[in-house]
Amino acid sequence: MKACEQSNPNSVDGHLFILSKQVKICLLPLGFAAGTMRHWFDFGNKIICTILDLLKDSLKTLLDAVDDGNLDRYCIRITEYSKNIVLSGCPQVTTAFLYISVLPNDLSVSLKRRIVSSYTQVDHQTFVLYEELEKATKTLSFKNVHMVDISKCPNVHFGAAIDWLKLGFPELRVFRVSHCLSFQFDDLLYLLMRCPWIDEIDMTIDTSTVTPRHSVISSSSEVLSKAKPNQKRYGIHCSAYDRQPNSVFLNISRLTLEGRNDIDDMDLLEISVLKNSLCYINIRNCFLLTDDGISNLLMKCTKIHSMVLSYTSFGNRSIQMLCAANPSGHNSGHAHVMASYMQELHLDGCKGIDSVALSQLVSIISITKFLSLRETSLTDGALCKFVGSSLEYLDVSETVISMVSLAPVIQRNCKLNCLKTAGCCSLLLQCANVEHINGNKYGDFLQELGTTYCLEDVEMGWGFCPIRIEDLVPSFSKVRKMKIGLGTSLAENVLCALPMICPFLESLILRFQVISDRVVRRLLESATNLQVLCLHYCLGSLTSFSFQTKAPALRVLRLHWVTSWLTNDDLTILTENCNLAELSLSGCKLLDSSSQDIISSGWPNLALLHLEVCLTAVLIMTIE
C-alpha cells in the first residue's frame, strides 16, 4: 500500500501498480489478459504482447533470463502453503516453466540452461535429466499441493510433465489435463506407473462444438478390425504389471475419459488394472468403445459404483453384467449384484438397450442418487419398477413415460433437486398397462412437484402448464437453472414474474415460447443473478428495445432465430450493457462487415462465438 500511495493514486498506473509489480503477467491466462483490455487497454495490451512473445519463442526468452539471472519472473508461484496449481488456459506455458518453478535457486547456470533447452520443446522425447534433477532437488517438494490443472496447455510435453509431478508433489490427489489432444492413452499409463498415489484423473475432450450428438450402437469388438496402430511411446504393457498379486494402483478411484476417440476396447481392457480401486468412470462420447469392451471392464472392475456412459455402445450385454451375481465382489463372502450398488448412472442416448433389459436394470438400482435415462427406451412399465428413494438428479427427457409412473417417483424422492422431463410428449396421457394413481388417473404435475421444495434445476415441456403464478412459487423458489421447451407455453405474466418466483435464477433457456420486450427487459433488470440467457425459435414482438438495459452479470447470450432485426448499432448497444464470454447468433442477416470489429473490441474476453446464417459468418474471425 505504501508503494501504491507513492505513485499518483488517481492515475491508471497508480491503480495497477501492485498488479504490474507483484503478479507475473507473462503467466496469466490469455483469455483473462484479453478481458483486462476492456477497462485498461494499455495494460491488457502489454500482457497480451508479453504472452504472444513467449508463444513465438519461449526458449530464447528463458535462456536470456537465465543468463541475466532474472529467471524468477517466469517461475510459477509455488510455496509450502500452496494447495492448488491451476494453469488451465495458459498456452504460453511449456514444460520448462513447470521445471524451473520447482528447482532451488542455487543450481548452476549451465544446468539451468540444459533444463530450459531440454524441456521447452513440445516434442521432447528424452528424460536423461530426470535422475540428475531428482538428486539435485531431493529436498524440494511441495507436500501440501493436492491438485494440479494443466488443461488447455498445448505446449506442455506430458511425459516430462508427469515426471515433474513425481518430482515435486508426493501428496498429489487430483490431476486435470482436459481439452488436451496431445495427452494420449500412453501418457495415462505412464502417469499410473509414475504417480500411483493420485486419486482422480480428468482427461476430458470437449466434442460438443464439433461433433453432432449421436449414438454408437455397435455391440461387438469385431467392428474394430481396423484398429489403430499400437505405438507405445513408453514401452508400457499393462499385462506385465496386471499379473502382480499386489498391484500398486490402489488409489485411482475417479477416471474421466469423456470425448476421447483415441481409446478403444483394448485400451479399456488395460484400464482394468485399476480393478482394486476404480469407483467412478466417465466415458461419455467415446465412440470407439463397444458393448463387449464396456462389459469386459465391468466384469473386472466390480467396485465401480458411478458411471457416465452417455452416447456410447453400452447395451444389453453390459446390463447383464451389471445385473449378474458376482460371487467375488466386495469381499463380503456373499454374491452381490453390481447394479444394486450404483450411486450414479448416466445412459443418455444409449440406443443399444432394449426395453426389457432397461426394465431389469431399473428394478435393481435402488440406492441411485443421479440417474439419467434421456433418449432411451424407458417406458412407464420400466419406471414403475424403480423403487429408490435417494434420487437427487433425474433426467427422463425424450422418453415415452407419463405421470402415471413419474408421479410416484417424485413423491418418494424428497431430496430431488434436478428434474428434467423435456420432450416427454406422453406425460399427461393415460397408460392402460400401468395402475392409476390414487385419486387422479393422470397425476397433476405441479401438485406432485409441490411435494419437493428443493428443486434447483428443471427442464420441462409437455405437461408443464401452470395457470397461476402461485402454483409455481413453493416448488421453484430455489431454482437456479430452468429450461422450458416445446409442449407448453408460459403466459407473459408468468415469464415476467420469473425473477420473483425464482430469485436465485442463474440460467434460463426458452424454446418455442412467446416472448416480448417486456419479458426480456424484466429478466435482465430483475434477475440480478442471471448469467445465461438463451432464446431459441421464440415468437413474439421482440425489438431492439429488449437489450437496451444493463445486465452486468450476463455472460452467455444465445439468440437463435429471434433477432432478425439485429444491426451493428444494436450490437454496439449490447456490448455496452453486458460483458459476454459466449455469444451465439442465428438469422441476423442485417449485420455487415463492421460486426467483426464491434464484437472483438466490445467483448475482448469472448471465449466462444457462433454465427449461423449471418452475413458476418463469411468473415474470418479469430477468437482466442
Side-chain angles (χ1 to χ4, degrees):
M1 291 301 296
K2 290 181 180 179
C4 188
E5 289 169 359
Q6 291 174 1
S7 61
N8 182 357
N10 294 322
S11 68
V12 174
D13 291 337
H15 290 303
L16 298 177
F17 180 85
I18 294 178
L19 181 60
S20 61
K21 294 299 180 182
Q22 299 300 322
V23 174
K24 300 176 181 182
I25 62 175
C26 62
L27 297 179
L28 289 172
L30 189 57
F32 172 81
T36 60
M37 294 179 63
R38 185 177 181 88
H39 301 290
W40 305 296
F41 180 83
D42 292 337
F43 180 67
N45 188 59
K46 176 184 176 182
I47 301 176
I48 291 177
C49 291
T50 303
I51 294 174
L52 293 180
D53 288 342
L54 279 178
L55 282 170
K56 292 176 182 176
D57 194 351
S58 61
L59 176 58
K60 182 180 184 303
T61 301
L62 292 179
L63 288 176
D64 290 343
V66 171
D67 294 337
D68 296 338
N70 190 25
L71 198 59
D72 181 67
R73 62 178 298 200
Y74 299 104
C75 294
I76 300 161
R77 194 188 306 274
I78 310 175
T79 72
E80 59 180 310
Y81 305 105
S82 300
K83 293 184 178 181
N84 300 327
I85 301 175
V86 181
L87 305 175
S88 178
C90 300
Q92 72 274 32
V93 171
T94 66
T95 319
F97 286 90
L98 306 181
Y99 273 86
I100 63 177
S101 301
V102 299
L103 296 178
N105 294 325
D106 57 356
L107 288 184
S108 65
V109 173
S110 60
L111 181 55
K112 289 181 180 178
R113 289 185 63 89
R114 285 178 58 201
I115 293 170
V116 169
S117 299
S118 178
Y119 289 121
T120 298
Q121 304 304 316
V122 178
D123 58 351
H124 168 76
Q125 295 291 334
T126 62
F127 312 109
V128 294
L129 276 176
Y130 180 76
E131 291 185 2
E132 185 176 352
L133 291 176
E134 191 172 31
K135 294 177 182 178
T137 63
K138 187 173 297 184
T139 60
L140 189 60
S141 63
F142 302 91
K143 295 183 179 180
N144 285 328
V145 173
H146 285 182
M147 189 273 283
V148 170
D149 186 348
I150 52 176
S151 304
K152 302 178 183 178
C153 292
N155 291 318
V156 170
H157 181 272
F158 293 106
I162 291 167
D163 283 332
W164 171 70
L165 297 178
K166 185 177 187 299
L167 185 71
F169 312 106
E171 299 295 329
L172 189 67
R173 292 295 177 263
V174 179
F175 180 51
R176 292 176 181 155
V177 61
S178 62
H179 302 84
C180 291
L181 290 171
S182 57
F183 189 83
Q184 300 178 16
F185 183 75
D186 281 354
D187 294 314
L188 171 62
L189 298 182
Y190 188 63
L191 175 64
L192 298 182
M193 294 186 67
R194 299 293 277 173
C195 308
W197 55 83
I198 293 179
D199 175 73
E200 177 181 341
I201 301 172
D202 185 351
M203 295 173 55
T204 301
I205 290 180
D206 183 13
T207 59
S208 61
T209 57
V210 294
T211 305
R213 179 183 295 178
H214 64 281
S215 301
V216 181
I217 58 175
S218 57
S219 60
S220 173
S221 56
E222 294 177 359
V223 300
L224 298 177
S225 56
K226 297 180 181 180
K228 59 185 180 184
N230 187 13
Q231 299 176 346
K232 297 290 184 182
R233 294 194 289 174
Y234 304 103
I236 300 171
H237 298 282
C238 261
S239 57
Y241 52 80
D242 192 29
R243 289 193 297 266
Q244 297 177 7
N246 296 317
S247 175
V248 297
F249 306 113
L250 299 177
N251 292 310
I252 310 295
S253 63
R254 294 178 62 89
L255 181 60
T256 301
L257 305 171
E258 181 173 336
R260 300 211 65 101
N261 290 328
D262 58 333
I263 295 179
D264 58 23
D265 285 353
M266 295 303 296
D267 296 328
L268 205 59
L269 187 61
E270 292 189 80
I271 291 173
S272 64
V273 71
L274 305 175
K275 58 188 177 184
N276 292 328
S277 60
L278 191 62
C279 297
Y280 171 98
I281 188 167
N282 180 345
I283 53 174
R284 177 187 176 95
N285 285 334
C286 292
F287 299 135
L288 285 183
L289 300 179
T290 69
D291 195 19
D292 285 350
I294 298 173
S295 63
N296 288 335
L297 175 72
L298 297 177
M299 180 174 62
K300 292 179 176 292
C301 299
T302 58
K303 291 188 177 181
I304 293 178
H305 57 62
S306 299
M307 298 188 294
V308 181
L309 307 167
S310 308
Y311 304 103
T312 66
S313 294
F314 178 88
N316 294 343
R317 178 170 177 176
S318 295
I319 287 182
Q320 293 306 314
M321 189 62 61
L322 286 176
C323 297
N326 185 340
S328 61
H330 287 242
N331 299 318
S332 61
H334 301 283
H336 84 289
V337 176
M338 192 173 174
S340 64
Y341 293 88
M342 280 295 140
Q343 299 177 16
E344 183 172 354
L345 188 59
H346 298 259
L347 303 179
D348 314 54
C350 291
K351 301 297 185 182
I353 310 174
D354 61 36
S355 57
V356 176
L358 187 58
S359 180
Q360 180 186 10
L361 177 63
V362 169
S363 67
I364 299 176
I365 51 174
S366 58
I367 66 170
T368 304
K369 295 182 178 180
F370 302 89
L371 179 61
S372 184
L373 301 173
R374 176 187 290 258
E375 299 176 43
T376 63
S377 56
L378 183 68
T379 62
D380 273 336
L383 188 57
C384 281
K385 292 185 178 181
F386 179 75
V387 295
S389 58
S390 303
L391 280 179
E392 298 176 12
Y393 176 104
L394 177 63
D395 187 349
V396 289
S397 301
E398 307 295 338
T399 62
V400 295
I401 61 134
S402 71
M403 280 302 297
V404 171
S405 60
L406 182 60
V409 175
I410 297 175
Q411 291 171 357
R412 269 197 320 272
N413 293 270
C414 58
K415 294 182 180 179
L416 192 67
N417 57 50
C418 177
L419 178 62
K420 299 185 178 183
T421 63
C424 296
C425 54
S426 301
L427 203 59
L428 295 184
L429 299 181
Q430 181 178 2
C431 180
N433 299 325
V434 183
E435 294 183 5
H436 296 154
I437 302 173
N438 293 333
N440 189 338
K441 67 178 182 179
Y442 297 118
D444 184 281
F445 205 170
L446 291 177
Q447 179 182 347
E448 301 306 333
L449 291 181
T451 63
T452 302
Y453 293 98
C454 56
L455 284 176
E456 296 182 4
D457 188 351
V458 291
E459 184 174 324
M460 301 176 184
W462 299 95
F464 179 56
C465 301
I467 299 175
R468 299 177 306 169
I469 294 176
E470 292 78 8
D471 294 335
L472 293 173
V473 174
S475 302
F476 286 71
S477 60
K478 295 183 180 180
V479 167
R480 296 180 182 275
K481 297 181 180 180
M482 177 182 288
K483 181 177 180 179
I484 305 298
L486 187 65
T488 189
S489 181
L490 296 186
E492 183 181 60
N493 67 319
V494 175
L495 290 173
C496 288
L498 281 180
M500 180 269 293
I501 299 170
C502 312
F504 303 107
L505 191 64
E506 297 175 357
S507 174
L508 178 62
I509 300 175
L510 300 177
R511 300 175 63 89
F512 302 103
Q513 300 299 302
V514 179
I515 57 175
S516 64
D517 288 343
R518 177 170 171 251
V519 169
V520 175
R521 288 184 67 90
R522 177 68 174 170
L523 289 171
L524 295 179
E525 292 172 352
S526 302
T528 56
N529 298 312
L530 191 65
Q531 300 176 26
V532 179
L533 177 61
C534 307
L535 306 177
H536 299 265
Y537 311 102
C538 292
L539 305 175
S541 55
L542 207 63
T543 70
S544 60
F545 182 65
S546 299
F547 299 99
Q548 294 177 10
T549 183
K550 294 289 184 181
L554 195 65
R555 293 293 177 267
V556 177
L557 180 63
R558 302 185 190 126
L559 304 172
H560 290 182
W561 301 100
V562 294
T563 53
S564 58
W565 42 261
L566 194 71
T567 65
N568 287 342
D569 292 338
D570 299 324
L571 205 58
T572 301
I573 294 174
L574 200 55
T575 62
E576 296 171 352
N577 290 327
C578 55
N579 185 15
L580 298 180
E582 178 180 331
L583 175 66
S584 183
L585 300 175
S586 297
C588 301
K589 299 181 180 181
L590 298 182
L591 299 179
D592 59 30
S593 57
S594 300
S595 302
Q596 177 177 359
D597 292 333
I598 297 172
I599 293 174
S600 60
S601 61
W603 294 301
N605 57 335
L606 202 65
L608 190 149
L609 176 65
H610 174 86
L611 298 175
E612 181 181 357
V613 195
C614 296
L615 180 59
T616 49
V618 301
L619 301 175
I620 299 177
M621 304 190 70
T622 303
I623 304 294
E624 292 289 346

